[in-house]
Amino acid sequence: MRIDQQPRTRWVDQSAFQPRRPDLRLGARSHRVDRSGTVGEDRIAVQHAVRTSTAEYSLLLNAPEWLGRRGVGEALRDAVAELRAIDLTYGPTRPESLVSRLRRGEISPDSYPPLADLVDRCAAMRAATDGWFDAWAVPGGFDPGGLLGGWAVERAAARLRAAGIHDYAVLSGADLVVRGHAAHGGPWRVAVHHPTDQHRAPLVLEMTAGAVGTSGVSGRQGHVVDPHTGEPADQLVAATVVGPDLAVADAYATALYAAGPAGLDWFRDGSDYRVLFAHRR
């Protein structure tokens, strides 16, 4: 059975979780990687950090031994190159990025397949959130910022899978994507701390495939705008969403942060996405 066909997320009872340390922690200020236990004899465990102009990433790989250290290194370099390329090629603040050229009308979305995919995803999330995630309702024109980071991580993760690595975690700030199993052989154990109240006990997840996206913990006031009024959103202190895809989870979290409690309706009727935190100011 392939990993992605297995149950993806399990909410763990806190009392039962205490004897075991988490592999990963997500919090308000930064993510943290706890030291793993024993690594399987037929596995290669690698941890790597990379910084771009807009984000810092941690990549944890639990690779099969047959791939070899050279193969693992090549897969890691390929994933890091993807993160750097997206930062350079699609960043809305870069005057010559594809997004900036699209805003100026110099190119169309169909000029580059990845750009078309990015635009299509933004349009789909605008429909899914009743317009509360709207990459076009931003000063200056099209800005996929609420989805771009998650999209970049998912594309880097796809590079890892293409290289034969199906057990990994990629973290960025209060967001992460995991697939497969950690180095100790079990599901990734993720402790998600409350985005603003560090005194609360974390919510603990065991994940074999999924993502956690958060909006509202950047420390920048007014970084999320109500697309209907153009004013800074101020109903929630933070919003955290868990689900299969980080780009979608990030967009949902951004939209929920903007919409406030009214956005909780999006997660009913069998949605693959679930709200972990959505607290009023």
Side-chain angles (χ1 to χ4, degrees), residues 212-236:
V212 178
T214 297
S215 180
V217 296
S218 68
R220 293 182 292 122
Q221 295 295 322
H223 74 289
V224 175
V225 174
D226 180 335
H228 303 295
T229 66
E231 298 296 322
D234 61 0
Q235 294 194 63
L236 300 181

Side-chain angles (χ1 to χ4, degrees), residues 15-270:
S15 60
F17 183 79
Q18 290 292 346
R20 296 177 294 171
R21 293 184 62 183
D23 305 300
L24 312 168
R25 294 180 183 272
L26 294 181
R29 293 180 180 83
S30 64
H31 61 257
R32 193 172 87 200
V33 179
D34 283 3
R35 291 190 177 277
S36 301
T38 304
V39 179
E41 294 182 359
D42 60 344
R43 314 297 293 179
I44 300 173
V46 176
Q47 180 179 331
H48 182 77
V50 59
R51 183 188 295 273
T52 68
S53 67
T54 57
E56 183 175 350
Y57 303 90
S58 292
L59 295 87
L60 288 81
L61 313 183
N62 177 28
E65 189 179 41
W66 60 261
L67 195 57
R69 294 193 176 275
R70 181 174 179 178
V72 173
E74 291 175 350
L76 181 60
R77 285 192 293 271
D78 202 22
V80 169
E82 183 72 8
L83 292 171
R84 294 192 184 281
I86 290 175
D87 176 57
L88 291 171
T89 308
Y90 296 92
T93 62
R94 295 183 178 275
E96 296 308 314
S97 74
L98 295 182
V99 169
S100 294
R101 294 179 63 194
L102 179 66
R103 295 166 81 168
R104 295 194 298 264
E106 297 173 2
I107 59 174
S108 70
D110 295 334
S111 301
Y112 302 89
L115 179 61
D117 177 60
L118 181 61
V119 172
D120 287 346
R121 281 174 167 263
C122 288
M125 290 311 301
R126 179 171 59 180
T129 61
D130 304 316
W132 283 99
F133 177 89
D134 191 342
W136 290 267
V138 179
F142 177 71
D143 185 341
L147 183 147
L148 183 61
W151 186 73
V153 169
E154 291 287 0
R155 288 182 63 86
R159 295 296 188 101
L160 296 176
R161 293 194 298 275
I165 299 176
H166 297 277
D167 302 275
Y168 58 81
V170 183
L171 298 85
S172 177
D175 299 344
L176 93 162
V177 164
V178 300
R179 292 291 187 278
H181 297 85
H184 51 68
W188 294 94
R189 299 194 292 262
V190 183
V192 186
H193 291 263
H194 189 278
T196 58
D197 185 354
Q198 294 300 293
H199 296 292
R200 295 194 186 190
L203 179 63
V204 178
L205 312 176
E206 286 189 343
M207 305 176 71
T208 56
V212 178
T214 297
S215 180
V217 296
S218 68
R220 293 182 292 122
Q221 295 295 322
H223 74 289
V224 175
V225 174
D226 180 335
H228 303 295
T229 66
E231 298 296 322
D234 61 0
Q235 294 194 63
L236 300 181
V237 293
T240 300
V241 175
V242 62
D245 183 278
L246 182 55
V248 176
D250 265 349
Y252 266 131
T254 301
L256 181 60
Y257 185 86
L264 295 175
D265 288 341
W266 306 324
F267 305 96
R268 295 168 182 162
D269 300 325

